[in-house]
Amino acid sequence: MVLKYFSHSAFQITTNDKKVILIDPFLDGNPTSPVKSDHVNADYIILTHGHGDHIGDAFKIAKRCNPLFIAVNELANYCISHGFRAHNMHIGGAFNFDFGRVKFTIAHHGSMTPDNYYAGEPSGVLITIEGKTIYHTGDTGLFYDMKLIGEMNKIDYMLLPIGDNFTMGIDDAVRAVELASPSVAIPIHYNTFPMITADPMEFKDKLQKLNRNCVVMNFGSEISI
Ligand code: NI
Ligand code: MN
């Protein structure tokens, strides 16, 4: 599969059989994304929570592509109320889709839509495709259950925030990597706005001192995994 990072928390996964999964596609209002929503397609859109910098352009893309939304129950129902297709899940639950397996985890954060609807609990998500497991933590503070998540899942790629203020900062994110023990850590949710300025190379250096692998993905870049 190919993992593409738009910036912020927004990713695109393209499977070997060309299914396209978007995660938190915040593109048009995102000053750091080199890709805008008109140039993105989706078969599935996974949302970690209801904040505007995560729902982003999901509905705009969905009007054109008719993807299946995957989210916790309340947020999935919000998508359905806007006329879209959704698969309702919740934290702790997993489901096998035709592209792979999705399991929702806890995240310590908030979740309300831009128009002030309650969107259920915020979440992280474990996505297993083609034998590889990606853990996108969503927006979250550090929590010790990341250790359990790492013990129960062989995490290949952990996508986790380092921008501080709303989420973990660098030092907490380093601890999160130690707890979940992924093969590779990828920093997200930084430098989008001045309030979440962080140096991803500082994160990488701190992890390297602990013999942990980190890949800093440039905004708009992709890797084959
Ligand atoms: Ni948020
Ligand atoms: Mn956010």
Side-chain angles (χ1 to χ4, degrees), residues 56-170:
D57 306 295
F59 288 178
K60 194 173 167 194
I61 295 164
K63 275 188 187 123
R64 186 164 45 78
C65 301
N66 192 31
L68 183 70
F69 280 91
I70 302 171
V72 299
N73 184 60
E74 294 83 354
L75 183 53
N77 281 340
Y78 177 75
C79 298
I80 291 167
S81 77
H82 280 76
F84 301 115
R85 299 185 301 127
H87 181 106
N88 299 37
M89 296 183 67
H90 231 303
I91 290 160
F95 188 82
N96 292 319
F97 293 88
D98 63 358
F99 64 84
R101 184 173 177 84
V102 174
K103 182 173 184 177
F104 281 93
T105 72
I106 60 168
H108 289 304
H109 194 63
S111 186
M112 188 172 266
T113 67
D115 51 351
N116 294 327
Y117 283 93
Y118 171 66
E121 294 296 309
S123 64
V125 66
L126 290 156
I127 307 167
T128 304
I129 300 174
E130 296 158 12
K132 294 259 165 59
T133 296
I134 297 167
Y135 174 29
H136 188 305
T137 69
D139 282 3
T140 186
L142 177 63
F143 58 91
Y144 201 72
D145 282 359
M146 286 178 175
K147 184 173 170 61
L148 181 62
I149 293 169
E151 285 171 0
M152 294 183 70
N153 301 274
K154 186 193 159 298
I155 300 167
D156 294 287
Y157 292 86
M158 184 178 187
L159 321 176
L160 76 168
I162 64 163
D164 223 333
N165 194 77
F166 299 110
T167 66
M168 292 184 280
I170 287 173

Side-chain angles (χ1 to χ4, degrees), residues 49 51 54 109 139:
H49 64 293
H51 289 161
H54 296 261
H109 194 63
D139 282 3

Side-chain angles (χ1 to χ4, degrees), residues 2 25 128 177:
V2 176
T128 304
V177 172

